[in-house]
Amino acid sequence: MEQDFFEQRTDLSQLNEAVNLIKTTLGKIIVGQQDTIELLITGLLADGHMLIEGVPGIAKTLTAKLLAKSIDAQFSRIQFTPDLMPSDVLGTSIFNPKTADFEFKKGPIFGNIILIDEINRAPAKTQAALFEVMEERQITIDGHSFKMEEPFVVLATQNPVDQEGTYRLPEAQLDRFLFKIEVKYPTLEEEIAIITQQHQQKTTDQLVEVSAVLSSQQIIEMRKQIRNLHVEPRLLEFTAKVIQETRKNSSLYLGGSPRASLAIVNASKAIAAINGRDFVTPEDIIRVTPSVLRHRIMLTPEKEMEGISPDEVVAQIFQKIEIPR
Amino acid sequence: MTSDRSLIISTDSLKGGPPIIIDAVPKAVARPVYHFIKTDTAQVVIRHINDKALKHFADDPTFDYTEEKSHATNWWDKFWEWFWHLFQNSTQNESTRYSIPYLSYIFWIAIGAFILFVIIKFATSNGINIFNRGSMQISDIQTGAVEDINQINFDQEIEKALEQGNYRLAVRLLFLSSLKQLNDAGLINWRADKTNSAYLNEITDTDQRQVFTAITRQFEYVWYGEFSIDGDSFQNIHGLFNRFKQMLP
């Protein structure tokens, strides 16, 4: 019953093919976690940074590494530790005795896909070094600005903040992540499949099996295509209403920023494209909003004590707002 | 007891009571107790209370210690009797004595307000908007005003939209009309905040689901995608909607 009376305005076949290829590639090694993988691809196409949160041992880093490996781009990894300095991330000027001048030595942040492992194990001072680069895609050191090459994506992993040796990330930095993706424990079936797969594996390095399926240029082209997707004005209004509601909700002491509104729209466009549409529906907005808001909104201490999660508050907000139709 | 001491007994023993040894003193000074007691020789003047003053006090309700007999038969009545008694005692003074009936109204109003507050708080925390009939309302596409799908005359509105050549609006109205029919038939539970997928999941019949998926797709392309639609395309879509209508009980 797939009768279509309309001709497609945008050719999304290449994009859909590439997405399926990434999903298949990651699916060879990662068992389950379809939701995580879809959100990672959505974030990549929406030109956003992603924060992956979960308890230790649920393949957060592996998933991020696999996604990076499936793209033919410069990959760099930074392990965040409590003694890490901003210059260890951004780079530093070193005196060259031959030229009798200072030379800038680029730090690991210079790359296309940056994996920051255990991001919340470094203190606020180091986190602040990421503010400029995450938002403006450039860094300024010694009066010189260095532009990052496109695509520039930060994939950060972290353990929940109640775990030993972790810091809470500054709100300003959290707001710079498009998504916070929560990785859950696998189901029983998935866990059995993980063990079986590992048991039958011949090599120890799982990444060997993965090769790049997408180039940086293809990602740039897809992003351009996504930016031009259609969003009905009432859906923009719907998005704005959701964000406005977070600002006056009694369960929250910090609501979503205008950057959050933009993030919802951009991510909705990306997920619409993944689903083969060149227009956004309310379901796309509802699909991405929890991941966009869960790290941006802050619960009041009372609600936190009650054990309510930001996702529950977002669900309550959606119940209050009429879906435009 | 040594032999050179005699007993001093209490005065109760003189009235025929049992002797109580208080202490023992040397025999040389021992004397009966009544030798120590002096007789009161003062003249007694009897004072009489003034009748007028007595009446004044007798009429004053402050000195009325008669306890009203309880009429309460069960614990609930007893509780309220006790509460009002406490309430009156705590508020009854010269300045408030005559405002007691009003205070009881204020009390009940306060109770009512508290119950209302609890209901609103509960509803709010559960995401229920009790002051808004939003559960059965949708936005009007052209005016932005809120409309009730039960109040729309769909046939008339669709006809009007077609006369204006507004096929987009006509498709929207056809879709809303289908939702209303599904809701009337008890196949879905219409709510303004539900998505089309939520309705799809509520439909259990496979054939109905299949056709509903198709009409939803057409609606989304026309409405959210703003795909241009002409008379021929509309006829095709209309045919699909008619087919779905015929499937409904």
Side-chain angles (χ1 to χ4, degrees):
Chain A
M1 185 48 65
E2 285 295 303
Q3 281 178 273
D4 267 335
F5 304 114
F6 308 100
E7 275 184 32
Q8 291 291 338
R9 293 174 294 203
T10 317
D11 183 15
L12 295 167
S13 56
Q14 261 194 322
L15 185 144
N16 290 323
E17 207 176 300
V19 168
N20 287 335
L21 214 52
I22 298 175
K23 280 184 181 174
T24 314
T25 307
L26 266 66
K28 280 183 195 164
I29 294 169
I30 302 291
V31 178
Q33 293 191 19
Q34 279 90 359
D35 201 43
T36 304
I37 292 169
E38 190 176 67
L39 285 171
L40 282 170
I41 298 169
T42 306
L44 181 75
L45 296 176
D47 195 7
H49 308 296
M50 285 153 284
L51 179 62
I52 309 166
E53 186 183 271
V55 291
I58 49 172
K60 298 184 295 295
T61 309
L62 179 64
T63 311
K65 274 165 75 177
L66 283 170
L67 179 71
K69 190 138 192 240
S70 66
I71 298 156
D72 185 17
Q74 199 188 334
F75 171 72
S76 78
R77 177 187 171 142
I78 313 168
Q79 186 72 37
F80 267 35
T81 53
D83 60 347
L84 195 78
M85 299 300 284
S87 57
D88 297 333
V89 177
L90 304 177
T92 189
S93 294
I94 296 170
F95 184 73
N96 186 342
K98 280 184 187 167
T99 59
D101 203 358
F102 281 93
E103 275 177 15
F104 180 66
K105 180 107 176 124
K106 286 179 178 177
I109 199 74
F110 286 86
N112 297 117
I113 315 273
I114 316 297
L115 169 61
I116 300 179
D117 205 19
E118 311 265 6
I119 192 169
N120 61 343
R121 294 198 183 271
K125 183 171 70 177
T126 315
Q127 305 293 349
L130 296 169
F131 286 7
E132 186 188 0
V133 72
M134 284 180 74
E135 178 58 22
E136 297 172 45
R137 267 75 172 169
Q138 66 165 35
I139 58 163
T140 308
I141 293 176
D142 293 339
H144 296 286
S145 290
F146 300 89
K147 285 266 177 208
M148 296 292 140
E149 269 181 41
E150 264 200 275
F152 176 73
V153 181
V154 173
L155 294 173
T157 69
Q158 71 167 18
N159 293 140
V161 280
D162 51 342
Q163 299 252 317
E164 197 65 44
T166 59
Y167 297 91
R168 194 181 279 269
L169 296 184
E171 285 85 352
Q173 188 184 4
L174 286 170
D175 202 36
R176 281 160 167 79
F177 282 103
L178 175 75
F179 287 152
K180 178 178 167 188
I181 302 165
E182 284 183 348
V183 185
K184 307 282 181 206
Y185 280 120
T187 60
L188 177 67
E189 291 75 25
E190 286 169 352
E191 190 127 17
I192 293 167
I194 292 166
I195 302 166
T196 311
Q197 191 175 301
Q198 188 78 15
H199 173 67
Q200 291 170 345
Q201 207 171 353
K202 291 178 178 67
T203 56
T204 47
D205 189 4
Q206 292 170 301
L207 293 173
V208 171
E209 295 173 25
V210 178
S211 52
V213 293
L214 208 59
S215 70
S216 297
Q217 194 53 40
Q218 278 177 300
I219 291 174
I220 294 166
E221 292 299 323
M222 284 173 195
R223 283 179 175 179
K224 270 187 201 160
Q225 210 173 21
I226 285 167
R227 267 197 291 274
N228 293 324
L229 294 197
H230 181 77
V231 189
E232 211 257 335
R234 284 188 181 278
L235 295 182
L236 296 176
E237 196 183 315
F238 177 62
T239 307
K241 278 183 186 172
V242 172
I243 296 299
Q244 289 277 326
E245 187 56 39
T246 62
R247 293 177 200 151
K248 49 189 180 190
N249 191 289
S250 60
S251 303
L252 303 173
Y253 87 84
L254 183 68
S257 62
R259 197 188 271 142
S261 307
L262 296 170
I264 291 175
V265 174
N266 290 338
S268 301
K269 283 185 190 175
I271 205 122
I274 289 171
N275 289 319
R277 275 182 278 106
D278 68 354
F279 61 91
V280 171
T281 65
E283 308 211 21
D284 297 325
I285 294 171
I286 292 168
R287 166 82 174 89
V288 298
T289 300
S291 301
V292 170
L293 288 182
R294 67 169 66 103
H295 56 295
R296 290 181 160 100
I297 58 175
M298 300 282 159
L299 296 170
T300 57
E302 301 83 50
K303 292 292 164 188
E304 217 163 329
M305 295 275 279
E306 283 174 29
I308 287 175
S309 70
D311 284 11
E312 285 173 277
V313 179
V314 173
Q316 283 174 8
I317 287 170
F318 275 122
Q319 282 175 4
K320 287 183 192 172
I321 300 169
E322 180 193 322
I323 288 182
R325 56 162 81 82
Chain B
M1 178 75 58
T2 52
S3 56
D4 59 336
R5 296 173 80 86
S6 48
L7 292 174
I8 297 291
I9 56 169
S10 78
T11 50
D12 286 345
S13 65
L14 299 173
K15 294 170 188 167
I20 300 165
I21 299 166
I22 296 173
D23 198 1
V25 295
K27 262 184 181 172
V29 295
R31 280 187 296 174
V33 170
Y34 53 81
H35 282 200
F36 299 100
I37 301 169
K38 286 183 179 177
T39 311
D40 184 1
T41 56
Q43 197 177 352
V44 177
V45 180
I46 299 170
R47 294 177 66 192
H48 294 280
I49 298 169
N50 182 313
D51 285 345
K52 203 178 167 185
L54 187 64
K55 192 173 181 310
H56 171 73
F57 288 117
D59 289 346
D60 189 341
T62 314
F63 299 105
D64 183 8
Y65 300 127
T66 316
E67 282 190 17
E68 203 178 319
K69 204 173 180 181
S70 171
H71 301 292
T73 52
N74 56 36
W75 67 269
W76 180 246
D77 291 339
K78 280 179 186 166
F79 166 76
W80 282 110
E81 201 171 80
W82 167 81
F83 177 80
W84 285 116
H85 183 73
L86 200 74
F87 186 65
Q88 284 178 356
N89 279 355
S90 62
T91 56
Q92 200 167 29
N93 57 43
E94 276 304 315
S95 60
T96 59
R97 183 177 301 164
Y98 301 105
S99 60
I100 289 296
Y102 302 106
L103 281 174
S104 69
Y105 295 142
I106 291 166
F107 171 77
W108 284 115
I109 289 167
I111 290 278
F114 177 72
I115 292 168
L116 196 66
F117 169 76
V118 170
I119 292 169
I120 292 169
K121 194 79 184 161
F122 176 78
T124 313
S125 64
N126 287 286
I128 303 162
N129 191 350
I130 57 173
F131 295 116
N132 188 357
R133 288 186 63 237
S135 61
M136 291 300 287
Q137 292 169 338
I138 47 175
S139 286
D140 186 302
I141 51 159
Q142 288 179 339
T143 62
V146 173
E147 59 184 353
D148 187 339
I149 60 164
N150 291 316
Q151 305 296 320
I152 302 171
N153 184 338
F154 283 107
D155 292 338
Q156 197 184 312
E157 292 297 321
I158 291 168
E159 204 175 309
K160 213 190 287 179
L162 291 176
E163 276 171 17
Q164 293 166 355
N166 192 345
Y167 296 113
R168 185 172 175 246
L169 177 60
V171 171
R172 173 191 181 248
L173 290 164
L174 281 171
F175 185 71
L176 292 180
S177 150
S178 303
L179 288 180
K180 184 181 180 300
Q181 275 188 300
L182 283 166
N183 186 54
D184 292 345
L187 298 173
I188 62 162
N189 181 20
W190 163 265
R191 255 189 18 221
D193 63 286
K194 278 192 187 173
T195 60
N196 294 339
S197 305
Y199 293 131
L200 184 67
N201 291 335
E202 286 178 40
I203 300 169
T204 47
D205 184 88
T206 319
D207 292 339
Q208 286 172 356
R209 274 174 68 98
Q210 210 174 20
V211 185
F212 184 75
T213 307
I215 63 166
T216 304
R217 190 175 163 86
Q218 302 313 321
F219 162 72
E220 288 182 346
Y221 268 75
V222 172
W223 189 241
Y224 300 123
E226 297 193 70
F227 275 76
S228 58
I229 176 171
D230 56 16
D232 291 341
S233 305
F234 177 77
Q235 285 311 320
N236 289 332
I237 294 171
H238 197 189
L240 201 59
F241 274 97
N242 280 339
R243 198 182 140 195
F244 182 65
K245 264 186 190 177
Q246 284 161 10
M247 292 175 92
L248 298 176

